[in-house]
Amino acid sequence: MRTLNVYLTLGAATLLALLVAATGWLLLRRPGRADSLTSLLDLADRLENDLKTCRSGLQQAYAVMSINPDLPAAGEEDAQHAIDAGLRALLQQRLWIRDRLPHAKAHEVDEARNSLLSARARLRPLLKALSQAQTDLDSAMRDHIRRDPDA
């Protein structure tokens, strides 16, 4: 009987030690997931801001270049569709983050992060070119107004 009590005590102590270790592991693991979630959502926010900046810049550029403001300029609809597609893809990514991140494997989280970083990297030169085009358009408009004040 005494041996049974010793085994029960050792078993209970072992179980308690395992519970403490598992709880500690989960607590240590959780901040990593929270950091991953925060990082992914921050990247998604930045990409969304880049896409909206691009949309706004394109709308301004097309407005300046438009001969007839009631008709879309050549390429305007395609550009709008491309930005809308980017925003839809970003929404899908945000839904994935919301629904799957708590259960995702580390490589899936890395893939999601890399996807967002890659999209931002591809968009960056386009934003730079759009900014330069806007500057050039503004300069051309100022020159045109100076040359022909009655226009």
Side-chain angles (χ1 to χ4, degrees), residues 15-34:
L15 183 60
L16 182 62
L18 285 172
L19 281 172
V20 167
T23 302
W25 181 75
L26 285 173
L27 289 174
L28 288 175
R29 187 172 176 244
R30 218 172 263 278
R33 290 292 177 161

Side-chain angles (χ1 to χ4, degrees), residues 130-147:
L130 183 59
S131 176
Q132 182 60 49
Q134 188 66 46
T135 300
D136 293 346
L137 278 171
D138 291 345
S139 178
M141 288 302 292
R142 280 192 299 274
D143 289 347
H144 177 73
I145 291 170
R146 276 188 229 132
R147 278 183 288 173

Side-chain angles (χ1 to χ4, degrees), residues 68-81:
N68 183 349
D70 295 331
L71 296 175
E76 184 176 1
E77 286 183 16
D78 291 338
Q80 186 61 43
H81 289 304

Side-chain angles (χ1 to χ4, degrees), residues 19-113:
L19 281 172
V20 167
T23 302
W25 181 75
L26 285 173
L27 289 174
L28 288 175
R29 187 172 176 244
R30 218 172 263 278
R33 290 292 177 161
D35 291 346
S36 294
L37 176 62
T38 302
S39 173
L40 285 174
L41 290 176
D42 184 48
L43 279 171
D45 288 344
R46 286 192 235 156
L47 179 56
E48 183 177 9
N49 187 45
D50 289 347
L51 286 166
K52 287 181 177 180
T53 299
C54 190
R55 174 193 286 166
S56 174
L58 284 170
Q59 287 172 340
Q60 288 175 348
Y62 282 120
V64 169
M65 294 185 307
S66 179
I67 295 170
N68 183 349
D70 295 331
L71 296 175
E76 184 176 1
E77 286 183 16
D78 291 338
Q80 186 61 43
H81 289 304
I83 291 171
D84 289 345
L87 288 168
R88 278 191 302 278
L90 179 59
L91 176 61
Q92 289 296 101
Q93 192 78 326
R94 284 183 185 277
L95 292 173
W96 183 91
I97 292 167
R98 182 197 70 194
D99 296 341
R100 301 257 313 140
L101 185 67
H103 310 291
K105 295 182 178 6
H107 79 288
E108 292 175 311
V109 174
D110 290 342
E111 286 174 12
R113 184 176 187 280

Side-chain angles (χ1 to χ4, degrees), residues 117-136:
L117 287 171
S118 175
R120 286 197 77 218
R122 287 190 313 270
L123 195 54
R124 199 169 295 121
L126 300 173
L127 285 168
K128 187 176 179 180
L130 183 59
S131 176
Q132 182 60 49
Q134 188 66 46
T135 300
D136 293 346

